[in-house]
Amino acid sequence: MQLNDALTILCICMFFLFSQTLPATAQKKPNQNPNVVIILADQWREQAIGYLGKEKVQTPHIDSFAKGSLTITQMVSNYPVCSPARAMLLTGTYPLKNKVYSNVNSASGPYGVELPADMICWSDILKAKGYSNGYIGKWHLDSPHKPFIPTSNNTEKLAWNEWTPFEKRHGFDYWYAYGTYDVHNHPMYWDTKAPRDSFHYVNQWGPEHEVDKALEFISNKKGLRKEGAPFSLVVSMNPPHSEYQTVPEKYYARYKNIPMDSLLTDPNIPPAGTPMGDDYRKDVKYYYANITGIDEQIGRLINGLKDHRLLDNTIVIITADHGNCLGKHDEVSKNNIYEESLRIPLIIYWKEKIKPGIDEQFLGSMPDLFPTLLELTGYKKAIPKSIDGQSYASYFLNRSGPMPAEQFIMGGVPSSNVKLNAGFRGIRTARYKLAYQKKGSTVEGFLFDLKNDPYELNNLYNRDHEQVKVLRPKLLQWLRKTNDSFVVNE
């Protein structure tokens, strides 16, 4: 062997040996940032999940998936209405910062109620970090304007549905969405490149069709996302929002023969013969059927991630924008102080990273998901200092460390252009909930002991009650901090 050949072989061997002993951070690795999939359902109360055993609803796919996930049972929608909740989730801020003071429609449009184009969302940040982002389904954050889109929920008197301009999609490159539209068995969508007047209808149940599109995004056979880059995907399903009876028959069939009395065991359901009591009995089986349908679609989506070997490094979040009283407490659905309206599912999965289990103590709030998600994806330093939410990534990973001491709830937030004579503000702890509800010039106080009175049948409010003395100053401090003009008096 020639000397030069020997030296070459020696150099190759030394290089190989040295490369094996380099610290992990010094070696070039494939991208390790996790993918993100958020499944967002509309009007789904936390109590209506099978494995939690609170209501007789069938969710076998979620029940199975939850065994390896973290379930937060005390998660709330701090403003339990569609548009405000979605804005809090995307921006990490409360309505007085993100401008989504109420549901977005043509009545609120003149007051500037919509998500501003220059508002920073977590999706904007992930986009800047190289993520390929997709959004499928309901958006409901852009104000309708004339000429209104000719869909059935848009009239000259009140319009709800609107196209989202390209510059207002907040980093979502792939777009298959609509504003808001409740005909679930004949939904409509705009494609990524479709102009405002080029939406299309689909003869398929919305959640099923949306998961079909999500699986196309995941497989990437059509080049819908940047190959090799991490991705985020939001699948925003409208059911179990009304109209409940548009659910496919195969899901309703699972409940059709269940005795109604077995579904009426909660004491806060109004009696038959009352308007809300009759509505509850008319809708509850259909409501559960929609949730069972959502469950099946979630199962399809999870299996798609598995089939493409993406689940192991994907953070999956299953949640909702708000809950649904469905008639309980004489409330038709959401936007009230009760647990069925406020409490929403929060199931988080990240294989061998998120510690699984059912957590009944953590007090989750919508704005906290923004910073928590950014820290989990490796971008803690990119979290804007101006947001209201706090990151609890370390708690989700280890189930130890600081937790929120309370949650703040609200409804009917006034803007600088409009004054409201209705609404509510409140503070909720692991055991108690204090709330003030305004109707005209009257403000009524509510205090519930959620441990001893989980159905909120006994209002304990008294200005001299010990918990009122503890919680009221905290609520007042929060109102001052957030520049909220709501006046707490009674």
Side-chain angles (χ1 to χ4, degrees):
M1 179 182 295
Q2 298 293 322
L3 179 61
N4 286 343
D5 293 337
L7 288 173
T8 300
I9 293 172
L10 179 62
C11 288
I12 291 172
C13 292
M14 291 296 292
F15 175 80
F16 179 77
L17 179 63
F18 179 69
S19 68
Q20 299 308 299
T21 59
L22 279 172
T25 55
Q27 297 185 50
K28 187 174 181 180
K29 287 185 174 183
N31 194 308
Q32 294 298 305
N33 296 95
N35 306 309
V36 176
V37 172
I38 297 178
I39 302 166
L40 180 67
D42 198 315
Q43 214 156 284
W44 182 13
R45 64 189 185 212
E46 178 270 344
Q47 297 87 348
I49 302 176
Y51 68 95
L52 295 180
K54 298 175 183 178
E55 299 190 31
K56 293 184 178 180
V57 60
Q58 301 168 31
T59 55
H61 297 281
I62 294 173
D63 297 354
S64 176
F65 186 64
K67 293 176 183 178
S69 307
L70 171 61
T71 295
I72 302 294
T73 65
Q74 299 288 334
M75 179 72 185
V76 303
S77 177
N78 307 77
Y79 190 155
V81 179
C82 300
S83 300
R86 291 160 188 274
M88 288 188 292
L89 172 64
L90 284 166
T91 69
T93 62
Y94 289 107
L96 284 165
K97 284 186 180 177
N98 63 45
K99 310 303 180 187
V100 185
Y101 309 108
S102 68
N103 258 344
V104 173
N105 55 41
S106 60
S108 64
Y111 303 106
V113 179
E114 64 177 352
L115 185 63
D118 60 356
M119 196 78 196
I120 300 299
C121 299
W122 57 259
S123 50
D124 291 307
I125 295 173
L126 290 187
K127 165 75 171 177
K129 298 298 183 181
Y131 272 66
S132 186
N133 299 329
Y135 196 98
I136 297 172
K138 179 175 177 174
W139 178 252
H140 202 186
L141 290 168
D142 293 298
S143 179
H145 59 84
K146 292 185 177 181
F148 296 134
I149 301 296
T151 55
S152 62
N153 62 338
N154 281 358
T155 66
E156 286 300 309
K157 185 177 181 180
L158 185 64
W160 290 87
N161 199 9
E162 186 53 79
W163 175 72
T164 300
F166 302 102
E167 67 273 12
K168 295 184 70 177
R169 295 179 184 177
H170 291 279
F172 290 105
D173 309 296
Y174 174 70
W175 189 263
Y176 192 85
Y178 57 93
T180 181
Y181 194 69
D182 296 335
V183 186
H184 308 317
N185 55 0
H186 190 59
M188 54 82 66
Y189 303 91
W190 280 274
D191 290 302
T192 302
K193 296 181 180 180
R196 186 172 186 257
D197 60 355
S198 294
F199 58 90
H200 67 278
Y201 290 95
V202 177
N203 287 316
Q204 189 179 7
W205 193 51
E208 181 181 40
H209 182 67
E210 287 149 17
V211 170
D212 286 349
K213 304 303 287 188
L215 294 175
E216 287 182 1
F217 183 87
I218 289 168
S219 71
N220 207 29
K221 291 179 181 178
K222 297 182 179 181
L224 301 179
R225 57 184 174 86
K226 187 165 54 177
E227 191 64 47
F231 66 82
S232 78
L233 176 64
V234 177
V235 183
S236 177
M237 305 176 187
N238 206 343
H241 191 288
S242 55
E243 301 288 332
Y244 309 116
Q245 295 189 19
T246 57
V247 67
E249 174 62 26
K250 64 180 179 179
Y251 301 125
Y252 179 68
R254 302 186 191 183
Y255 298 92
K256 184 181 296 185
N257 296 322
I258 294 177
M260 179 59 73
D261 287 349
S262 71
L263 306 179
L264 303 175
T265 56
D266 292 347
N268 55 4
I269 300 172
T274 62
M276 289 294 98
D278 289 345
D279 275 357
Y280 193 92
R281 288 159 176 79
K282 173 175 65 73
D283 292 332
V284 64
K285 290 185 179 182
Y286 286 102
Y287 182 66
Y288 287 170
N290 277 276
I291 294 170
T292 297
I294 292 291
D295 173 77
E296 186 168 291
Q297 304 315 313
I298 289 174
R300 291 179 60 219
L301 186 49
I302 298 302
N303 285 334
L305 290 168
K306 289 179 181 177
D307 291 344
H308 291 90
R309 299 182 180 179
L310 293 169
L311 185 60
D312 287 0
N313 195 35
T314 297
I315 299 169
V316 178
I317 298 175
I318 301 171
T319 190
D321 57 355
H322 54 77
N324 190 350
C325 285
L326 206 68
K328 289 186 174 186
H329 302 286
D330 287 319
E331 294 283 353
V332 66
S333 57
K334 66 268 190 179
N335 200 19
N336 59 69
I337 65 172
Y338 296 106
E339 292 290 277
E340 289 84 359
S341 169
L342 294 168
R343 296 261 293 278
I344 54 175
L346 181 60
I347 301 167
I348 307 174
Y349 173 91
W350 189 10
K351 186 177 180 180
E352 298 177 355
K353 300 288 196 309
I354 298 289
K355 188 175 180 180
I358 297 176
D359 189 311
E360 298 179 340
Q361 299 300 315
F362 185 88
L363 300 175
S365 291
M366 294 291 268
D368 295 336
L369 292 178
F370 175 120
T372 300
L373 181 60
L374 283 185
E375 184 170 351
L376 288 174
T377 53
Y379 298 112
K380 182 178 180 179
K381 293 182 179 179
I383 298 172
K385 289 182 170 41
S386 59
I387 67 170
D388 297 314
Q390 299 292 319
S391 173
Y392 291 98
S394 61
Y395 182 85
F396 288 174
L397 292 168
N398 305 310
R399 300 281 293 286
S400 63
M403 291 193 298
E406 65 267 321
Q407 300 151 314
F408 295 97
I409 60 172
M410 68 205 76
V413 177
S415 72
S416 58
N417 297 322
V418 62
K419 304 301 179 184
L420 297 177
N421 288 319
F424 60 89
R425 301 293 185 276
I427 179 171
R428 183 183 183 280
T429 68
R431 178 165 179 178
Y432 291 98
K433 177 166 55 184
L434 172 68
Y436 294 89
Q437 185 165 285
K438 182 178 182 182
K439 292 183 179 179
S441 60
T442 302
V443 177
E444 184 178 3
F446 295 85
L447 178 69
F448 295 111
D449 182 340
L450 300 175
K451 179 180 178 182
N452 293 320
D453 179 26
Y455 297 103
E456 299 171 285
L457 300 174
N458 301 307
N459 181 9
L460 304 175
Y461 186 84
N462 182 302
R463 185 70 178 266
D464 295 323
H465 193 288
E466 178 185 358
Q467 287 300 317
V468 173
K469 291 181 178 179
V470 170
L471 296 176
R472 191 171 188 271
K474 293 183 179 181
L475 176 59
L476 292 172
Q477 182 182 19
W478 186 75
L479 293 174
R480 288 192 296 268
K481 179 181 176 180
T482 57
N483 297 313
D484 192 331
S485 62
F486 190 91
V487 177
V488 175
N489 56 20
E490 69 287 331

